[in-house]
Amino acid sequence: MKKYFILVLLLAFCLCSACGTVPVQTESTTGTSSDTTPVTTFSPLPETLPPETTTETTAVTTTETTSTAETTTEATTTTTVDIFSLEIEPPVYANAAEPLDIATFDGYDQSCHPKVLYIPEGWNGWEYWMAYTPYPYCDDDYENPCIAVSHDGIAWTEPEGISNPVTGYPPSLEGGAHYSDPHILLNGNVMELWFRWNPYYGNGINADSNGGVVLRMTSSDGVNWSEEEIMLAGSEWNFDPVLSPVVMLNPEGGYTMWYSMRDGKIWRTQSADGYNWGELEATDLEVWGYNIWHQDIIFENGVYETVFCARPQNSSNNLVGLDAYYAMSYDGLHWTDPVQILSPDDSVSGYDNCSIYRLSIVKTDGLYRIYYSSMSDWYVWKINLAVGENISSLVGMGRDGFDELIK
């Protein structure tokens, strides 16, 4: 039997030699050699990639593998998703059933206008930092920027040693003068707080109708803050206020600022140093029949994402009947069609049954967190939270499924 086996092997070797080929056993399916075809290796994609965060160059790869003792081949199909072709369904259960519990310095515990940062590794002992303003019963005398912190983004407190409001009060409250509209960012190890000051110029015109001034304060610990400095000056002759400034650091240095005005548009300007600003550029973001009022914008994976509130154009009240929307952009100027994500809860007992106001968009560990302020028919203000794996699946705090998402 052994003799026959040896004869078979010798016969096979002779035949292969005559054909000019010798069987080679392949030990690796990647790499290159004179006997194998190079195989392209692709970087692995995340297990979950919500369509809202897909960038223009994001590749979705499908691989089929066939294997024998000799060779392994891979067939790869690559597709590119365009954010302008996405159809995002509005969420159904985004309104929170209960608000966040945020204590305010004035004792009314009515909070508004959140801007939230998530810092995974923590900053001065806390993963979540929030800038906000009290706004009890719409009284802007108390609308002074404050700071709160959290480990989970739900239970909020003050960092030890802080004195809220960190901005203090404006120099004067005459003529409706007040602070408002805070925004925070982390620049290296320094937190920057940008906010709006509407001064009264003594011209008989309410301060809210003046152009306003954008101020900045800085802190290395979130507790002790510098004196405010003027970053964007207003004018008593400019009656178009700068609303809800959003400030972002540019990768190459300098700042980009977006803000809305009474024309209902969002405008963009840029600065190399934060003091001298370039030409205003109008974005194409719009909601037919509405004026955009307050907004937040983030940038991740090559895509800008915004959440904003908008009020009916025919409304005489800036605080009543506002809805919230979501949109995306590649350049911060040209945006996808907005998708409505929140509207006032029309239930009689709903604490957000009158208006949805300034929002903040945060992405944490595969989840969207949308913090939004709301007003009830009794003019009571609260900050709320909705979470979801994508925008369409947002679930408000206190609703079924919320607790499972944030575990």
Side-chain angles (χ1 to χ4, degrees):
M1 198 62 185
K2 291 183 178 178
K3 293 180 179 179
Y4 290 120
F5 182 75
I6 293 171
L7 287 173
V8 170
L9 287 178
L10 289 172
L11 179 61
F13 182 83
C14 292
L15 289 173
C16 292
S17 299
C19 297
T21 60
V22 178
V24 176
Q25 182 178 358
T26 303
E27 296 182 354
S28 173
T29 60
T30 60
T32 60
S33 73
S34 60
D35 303 297
T36 59
T37 302
V39 178
T40 302
T41 303
F42 293 87
S43 299
L45 292 171
E47 292 182 3
T48 302
L49 186 63
E52 291 78 6
T53 61
T54 304
T55 70
E56 189 172 22
T57 57
T58 294
V60 181
T61 304
T62 303
T63 302
E64 291 184 6
T65 303
T66 59
S67 178
T68 68
E70 289 78 31
T71 61
T72 299
T73 61
E74 292 186 356
T76 301
T77 303
T78 302
T79 58
T80 301
V81 179
D82 180 5
I83 62 173
F84 287 91
S85 66
L86 293 175
E87 294 185 7
I88 302 173
E89 292 295 324
V92 178
Y93 304 108
N95 288 78
E98 59 188 59
L100 295 170
D101 183 11
I102 300 175
T104 60
F105 74 89
D106 55 292
Y108 288 102
D109 297 343
Q110 294 187 36
S111 51
C112 179
H113 206 288
K115 170 58 186 178
V116 177
L117 294 182
Y118 172 59
I119 307 164
E121 67 278 11
W123 186 72
N124 285 290
W126 300 91
E127 292 82 4
Y128 292 85
W129 287 77
M130 177 194 291
Y132 72 94
T133 63
Y135 200 30
Y137 305 106
C138 305
D139 188 344
D140 57 25
D141 286 356
Y142 297 96
E143 200 177 357
N144 306 304
C146 300
I147 296 293
V149 291
S150 174
H151 288 303
D152 61 6
I154 296 175
W156 293 88
T157 187
E158 293 184 344
E160 185 177 357
I162 200 169
S163 178
N164 276 322
V166 295
T167 60
Y169 283 80
S172 170
L173 298 176
E174 182 183 1
H178 64 280
Y179 291 151
S180 65
D181 298 6
H183 188 91
I184 51 175
L185 61 89
L186 202 58
N187 188 354
N189 196 44
V190 175
M191 184 168 287
E192 299 185 7
L193 168 63
W194 296 64
F195 58 103
R196 187 167 68 110
W197 172 36
N198 278 27
Y200 176 63
Y201 294 106
N203 53 9
I205 298 174
N206 185 277
D208 249 339
S209 297
N210 291 322
V213 178
V214 177
L215 304 176
R216 181 181 69 176
M217 300 170 65
T218 60
S219 174
S220 60
D221 60 10
V223 174
N224 301 286
W225 292 83
S226 68
E227 293 294 321
E228 70 272 4
E229 55 180 336
I230 295 176
M231 309 303 292
L232 183 66
S235 167
E236 65 175 298
W237 306 114
N238 179 2
F239 304 128
D240 206 350
V242 172
L243 300 171
S244 190
V246 173
V247 184
M248 190 179 296
L249 292 171
N250 297 329
E252 67 278 9
Y255 298 86
T256 296
M257 182 191 297
W258 293 263
Y259 56 83
S260 51
M261 294 194 289
R262 292 193 184 277
D263 60 7
K265 297 179 180 179
I266 292 182
W267 296 79
R268 188 183 77 171
T269 182
Q270 295 181 307
S271 171
D273 57 10
Y275 301 97
N276 302 287
W277 295 89
E279 181 181 357
L280 270 180
E281 303 171 277
T283 73
D284 62 4
L285 188 62
E286 63 178 357
V287 179
W288 189 86
Y290 282 76
N291 283 347
I292 298 174
W293 200 239
H294 284 51
Q295 58 282 323
D296 187 25
I297 300 172
I298 62 172
F299 180 74
E300 185 175 302
N301 296 329
V303 174
Y304 293 92
E305 298 177 80
T306 183
V307 285
F308 62 91
C309 61
R311 64 183 183 88
Q313 289 178 346
N314 58 359
S315 174
S316 60
N317 192 317
N318 298 332
L319 303 177
V320 175
L322 281 75
D323 300 319
Y325 299 84
Y326 167 86
M328 293 176 288
S329 171
Y330 290 128
D331 60 6
L333 283 176
H334 304 93
W335 295 84
T336 60
D337 291 335
V339 177
Q340 184 173 322
I341 60 173
L342 283 160
S343 60
D345 183 351
D346 58 6
S347 65
V348 175
S349 59
Y351 59 87
D352 59 354
N353 59 9
C354 185
S355 201
I356 307 295
Y357 213 62
R358 210 275 194 183
L359 309 92
S360 181
I361 179 171
V362 184
K363 297 172 78 171
T364 65
D365 304 324
L367 285 180
Y368 280 88
R369 291 183 179 232
I370 307 297
Y371 293 86
Y372 71 95
S373 45
S374 65
M375 184 179 73
S376 74
D377 285 339
W378 295 94
Y379 300 103
V380 173
W381 289 85
K382 293 293 182 180
I383 293 176
N384 318 275
L385 174 61
V387 302
E389 293 179 351
N390 53 57
I391 292 299
S392 299
S393 65
L394 288 173
V395 177
M397 181 174 166
R399 290 187 177 272
D400 290 344
F402 179 87
D403 290 341
E404 287 73 15
L405 282 169
I406 61 171
K407 284 182 179 179

